[in-house]
Structure formats: structure tokens, C-alpha cells
Amino acid sequence: RPKGAVQIAMHLRLGDLVPEMVGEGDEDAQKRYKIHFSDRLDESLTNFKTAFDMIARVAAAFKTRKSALHVLVVTDSPVSVVKKVAEPYGLKVQPGRSYNDGVAEHTVAKVSSAEQGADVELDFLGDSNPLVGAHCLSAADVLVAPTGNFGLMCEALSRGRVLDSNEALRAWAEQITQAQDDGTQFAGLLDELSSAESDPDKVFTSVEGQPSVNADGWATAAPECPQQ
């Protein structure tokens, strides 16, 4: 991430859900896809669209305050696939520059939706080792709506603030946008993120319906993800 920026991270699962990965060539394959994958792909992209619209509001507030924000999307697919499957959901993805942080390849893209209008720059970490993705999600200042076993692992390892649902993201986004014209209040919300990182009691969180995480069972909270 750029030095000094607040980092928001989210996971976009696509790799085993897009038609190209499961083979839509024959009639039987198409039936299997519709039965087993299409609903899950729709759920993944709908959640991504919902989260993006709220993050776009957060990004606008950061821009108003002239504060640095870095939005990381960890996915299992290249940006070209994200662009193709996201378009029917009202998301326009314009891939830009690529870079290597010394560990994995990133592609920076401008993303917009009809509802939000303005472009938001998203940094896609795609098609990389899952452990690298888990590391970067866990190291973010804000982890958005993790789901599935992979998401729960990242939530347990997170050293930042975990917004464990789109409702939690919406509430936080409201706080940020309402504070954009009040420098003291806005700074206070950012200070809360720093406190979450440094407080060991907040690093390891319990997940509703799951056993409490024992910090002794994990080595440490995730260290900083390599900088851009």
C-alpha cells in the first residue's frame, strides 16, 4: 500500500465459479454449471457490488479530507475475468497499470458503478498464492465482510478492524461520510483503526456461531503486507 494510507481489503471469489473454469462446452456441463455454480457466482458478485458502492462513498469522504486510502481486492482471477463478469452487475472495470510488490503481481483498475458515478481506484491482487492473499487481507486496516472458511481464517488473523457483514460496512461508511466535514471527528475514526491494530485483545476476534479463537493457537497477527 502507499505509505501512510489507510487500507481497506476485501476478497472476491470467482475462480471456481466462472463458466470458463468449469467448462460450459456441452449440454451436461451447462446443466452442472446452472445447478452448482450460477447462484454462487451471483451471490459473490452481488455482495461485491454492494460492498463497492459503500466503499465508493468512503473513498469520496477520504478525498474530501485529502486523506490517503488504498482499496485492495484479493481475488483468484485475473482482472480481465473480473471485468467480464462484473459488467452485468453495473460495474465498469478499467484495468490500468500493473506492478510487482516483490511477492505477487497487482493490477490497478478504475472501477465505477451507475449509482456512485465517480471512479474508485482498486488494487487487484489476482491469481496469486492463497497464502499471500490471506496474509494481505489479514494485514489490512479494515477487512470487509469475509465469508467462507477462507474469510473466517483471515478474520481470525486480522490485526485491523473487521466489518463482518455488509450491514457493518454500511454503518462504518455512514460514520466516515458524516465525519468528512469535521476534521477532528474524522481523525478520531482513523485513530480507532490504529488502536485496533495495536490492541492484542482486538486482533483475534470471535465469529458468531464459531468457537472463540485462541491467540496462543496462532503465531502472531499478520505483519505488514509488502508496500506498493
Side-chain angles (χ1 to χ4, degrees), residues 10-13 72-76 123 125 133-134 136-137 150:
M10 59 180 151
H11 178 233
L12 173 60
R13 177 189 174 189
L72 177 70
V73 180
V74 174
T75 184
D76 43 24
D123 184 347
L125 172 63
C136 289
L137 288 168
F150 182 78

Side-chain angles (χ1 to χ4, degrees), residues 8-86:
I8 299 175
M10 59 180 151
H11 178 233
L12 173 60
R13 177 189 174 189
L14 292 177
D16 60 344
L17 302 179
V18 292
E20 294 85 348
M21 301 299 292
V22 295
E24 267 196 310
D26 56 55
E27 185 175 346
D28 288 340
Q30 291 179 26
K31 289 180 180 178
R32 288 197 302 272
Y33 177 78
K34 290 179 180 179
I35 293 172
H36 298 293
F37 297 100
S38 58
D39 288 347
R40 290 155 66 188
L41 177 62
D42 178 69
E43 180 181 7
S44 183
L45 287 166
T46 298
N47 286 337
F48 180 67
K49 169 66 164 52
T50 300
F52 171 80
D53 283 340
M54 288 182 278
I55 289 173
R57 295 170 56 199
V58 171
F62 269 74
K63 187 175 182 179
T64 297
R65 296 303 317 164
K66 294 181 170 60
S67 295
L69 179 69
H70 180 239
V71 184
L72 177 70
V73 180
V74 174
T75 184
D76 43 24
S77 300
V79 175
S80 58
V81 172
V82 177
K83 177 181 179 179
K84 178 180 177 181
V85 299

Side-chain angles (χ1 to χ4, degrees), residues 23-210:
E24 267 196 310
D26 56 55
E27 185 175 346
D28 288 340
Q30 291 179 26
K31 289 180 180 178
R32 288 197 302 272
Y33 177 78
K34 290 179 180 179
I35 293 172
H36 298 293
F37 297 100
S38 58
D39 288 347
R40 290 155 66 188
L41 177 62
D42 178 69
E43 180 181 7
S44 183
L45 287 166
T46 298
N47 286 337
F48 180 67
K49 169 66 164 52
T50 300
F52 171 80
D53 283 340
M54 288 182 278
I55 289 173
R57 295 170 56 199
V58 171
F62 269 74
K63 187 175 182 179
T64 297
R65 296 303 317 164
K66 294 181 170 60
S67 295
L69 179 69
H70 180 239
V71 184
L72 177 70
V73 180
V74 174
T75 184
D76 43 24
S77 300
V79 175
S80 58
V81 172
V82 177
K83 177 181 179 179
K84 178 180 177 181
V85 299
E87 187 174 2
Y89 291 80
L91 290 173
K92 183 178 180 181
V93 180
Q94 298 176 287
R97 67 185 179 88
S98 297
Y99 71 94
N100 190 303
D101 60 13
V103 177
E105 288 288 334
H106 295 244
T107 299
V108 179
K110 291 183 178 180
V111 181
S112 61
S113 69
E115 290 83 356
Q116 299 302 324
D119 293 335
V120 180
E121 191 172 87
L122 304 186
D123 184 347
F124 286 89
L125 172 63
D127 202 20
S128 66
N129 188 309
L131 291 179
V132 174
H135 167 86
C136 289
L137 288 168
S138 302
D141 299 305
V142 180
L143 176 59
V144 173
T147 59
N149 291 332
F150 182 78
L152 293 178
M153 177 185 69
C154 295
E155 180 169 352
L157 291 171
S158 175
R159 68 176 199 159
R161 178 167 183 173
V162 177
L163 303 175
D164 59 4
S165 66
N166 282 332
E167 289 72 23
L169 172 59
R170 183 176 291 106
W172 184 71
E174 286 290 340
Q175 288 183 307
I176 292 292
T177 54
Q178 289 173 6
Q180 64 183 319
D181 295 321
D182 185 330
T184 301
Q185 186 180 0
F186 191 86
L189 292 172
L190 301 192
D191 286 343
E192 288 180 6
L193 300 180
S194 299
S195 299
E197 283 194 15
S198 60
D199 186 346
D201 291 332
K202 294 183 180 179
V203 169
F204 300 95
T205 59
S206 296
V207 181
E208 185 176 354
Q210 299 289 329

